[in-house]
Amino acid sequence: MIVPVRCFTCGKVLADKYYEFKKRVEAGEDPAKVLDDLGVERYCCRRTLLSHVELIDQVMVYRVY
């Protein structure tokens, strides 16, 4: 739901790379090349960034005051 701070498998910090990755992929770049440029080499970290879905906006509708 929120940006993954660390890889769920190995614990490497990924939060600092997520928004750059998202911006470049939405601009039309190849996700594999973007991950290579950002230095994300482990397949567990690549999976974490590739499979993340932003759901926080949908969940915020149901927040309790």
Side-chain angles (χ1 to χ4, degrees):
M1 289 193 351
I2 58 175
V3 176
V5 176
R6 292 183 174 270
C7 176
F8 302 123
T9 305
C10 70
K12 182 179 178 182
V13 177
L14 297 174
D16 60 336
K17 298 168 180 53
Y18 177 72
Y19 288 112
E20 178 70 21
F21 170 74
K22 183 178 175 183
K23 180 178 76 172
R24 289 175 62 181
V25 169
E26 286 178 352
E29 287 190 55
D30 180 39
K33 184 181 181 318
V34 174
L35 289 171
D36 290 339
D37 290 345
L38 293 174
V40 180
E41 298 176 356
R42 297 179 187 144
Y43 63 89
C44 58
C45 299
R46 294 171 81 92
R47 170 199 47 97
T48 301
L49 285 175
L50 285 170
S51 63
H52 177 70
V53 177
E54 288 278 341
L55 294 176
I56 195 69
D57 295 328
Q58 288 86 6
V59 174
M60 290 299 292
V61 174
Y62 302 107
R63 75 179 179 158
V64 179
Y65 291 98

